[in-house]
Amino acid sequence: MQDIVFGTRVRSVRIRLGLRQADVAARSRVSDMTVSRIEHGHLDAVTIAALRAVASTLEIRVDIVPRWRGGDLDRLVNARHAALAEVCVQRLRTIGGWEVRPEVSFSIYGERGIIDLLAWHAGSRSLVVIELKTEIVDVGELLGTFDRKVRLAREIGFDLGWRAKTVSACLVVAEGRTNRRRIEAHAGLIRSALPHDGRHFWPWLASPSEWVRAIVVVSDQHHGRPRTSLSTPRRVPGHRAPGNAGVVARASAVSSTKTTGQPAR
């Protein structure tokens, strides 16, 4: 039924725009048959690339939504995120001298968001914004959002009674082949924004001085670190997880300031 509804919406938008199937096909660089199949809800017969091309021509946004065992997928993602946070919190507690606030929400000058972990070191007046990512999707969007949080962190900390001398940042990424591949694919962009890594960041936490900008990949396999359920499961040939796994496509019509981290004057 979802596929039929999807096709009906595509057809309705095409007619509203006064286009023929042949017009959409030409502009999308697909066959007339492909457009017809989409409009009749035969989505299994077309590729995602073709589907996106047709949708883009009609100014339709297509969201791919994975579903698994009702709400279990959301709970699974949240559990991995919580485990990643626990690794960082335990490390800060072990080092000592740090106060950590999880899930710090903010609304400043119309900019809203949530900082995963905000850490404060009173001795050095160092503030650290920690962003947790179990999965990297869009590197550009990730860095842009992270930069905005770091840029506003001094004022956010001030509201908590923390008068920061320096503002540092750390992007903590869960270990996994896909995350590693995306980090490597965008190494230049990431390193320009986050030039430090774990070899610099973890020792820095013990004696913070100047600001740091780091990206750290955390695995539950690292010796001496708290074990979590962060590692990506190994794939077993011929094995499929129980439950109804699927992907649902939904269509809807749609008609930096760089952070210096320098001491406050």
Side-chain angles (χ1 to χ4, degrees), residues 22-95:
D23 299 327
V24 175
R27 297 181 186 184
S28 306
R29 297 184 179 181
V30 300
S31 66
D32 294 6
M33 181 60 69
T34 295
V35 177
S36 178
R37 286 172 175 168
I38 292 174
E39 291 189 358
H40 283 85
H42 302 314
L43 303 187
D44 290 342
V46 300
T47 64
I48 293 180
L51 187 65
R52 289 190 181 278
V54 171
S56 178
T57 296
L58 297 173
E59 298 182 357
I60 293 175
R61 185 182 71 245
V62 176
D63 298 323
I64 305 299
V65 182
R67 292 180 179 172
W68 181 67
R69 293 184 182 179
D72 283 358
L73 183 57
D74 289 337
R75 287 192 289 270
L76 176 63
V77 173
N78 291 337
R80 297 189 72 223
H81 189 274
L84 192 60
E86 186 63 24
V87 170
C88 297
V89 172
Q90 286 190 30
R91 174 59 69 94
L92 289 168
R93 287 175 178 170
T94 300
I95 293 173

Side-chain angles (χ1 to χ4, degrees), residues 49-230:
L51 187 65
R52 289 190 181 278
V54 171
S56 178
T57 296
L58 297 173
E59 298 182 357
I60 293 175
R61 185 182 71 245
V62 176
D63 298 323
I64 305 299
V65 182
R67 292 180 179 172
W68 181 67
R69 293 184 182 179
D72 283 358
L73 183 57
D74 289 337
R75 287 192 289 270
L76 176 63
V77 173
N78 291 337
R80 297 189 72 223
H81 189 274
L84 192 60
E86 186 63 24
V87 170
C88 297
V89 172
Q90 286 190 30
R91 174 59 69 94
L92 289 168
R93 287 175 178 170
T94 300
I95 293 173
W98 289 92
E99 181 179 349
V100 186
R101 295 284 185 92
E103 302 291 326
V104 178
S105 60
F106 63 88
S107 178
I108 300 176
Y109 309 126
E111 296 188 272
R112 297 179 175 83
I114 297 178
I115 295 177
D116 292 328
L117 295 175
L118 189 61
W120 167 248
H121 189 272
S124 61
R125 291 170 55 197
S126 300
L127 191 65
V128 181
V129 178
I130 301 177
E131 181 84 355
L132 309 173
K133 283 296 175 184
T134 57
E135 181 180 3
I136 296 178
V137 179
D138 186 324
V139 172
E141 180 181 0
L142 168 61
L143 294 179
T145 301
F146 193 25
D147 177 77
R148 177 169 58 89
K149 294 177 181 180
V150 176
R151 173 165 47 84
L152 299 172
R154 195 185 301 276
E155 189 165 349
I156 297 170
F158 186 83
D159 291 339
L160 296 173
W162 300 340
R163 299 177 181 272
K165 182 179 179 181
T166 61
V167 176
S168 297
C170 182
L171 174 62
V172 180
V173 182
E175 179 67 80
R177 292 182 180 179
T178 300
N179 285 342
R180 285 283 188 184
R181 184 167 60 249
R182 286 174 179 162
I183 290 174
E184 293 173 0
H186 301 277
L189 180 62
I190 292 175
R191 286 305 178 190
S192 65
L194 305 169
H196 306 117
D197 57 22
R199 291 171 296 183
H200 184 98
F201 181 68
W202 298 124
W204 177 87
L205 287 175
S207 182
S209 53
E210 299 298 325
W211 59 270
V212 297
R213 296 285 185 276
I215 178 171
V216 177
V217 178
V218 174
S219 170
D220 61 352
Q221 302 300 320
H222 288 180
H223 178 70
R225 296 189 182 181
R227 293 187 62 82
T228 70
S229 57
L230 299 177

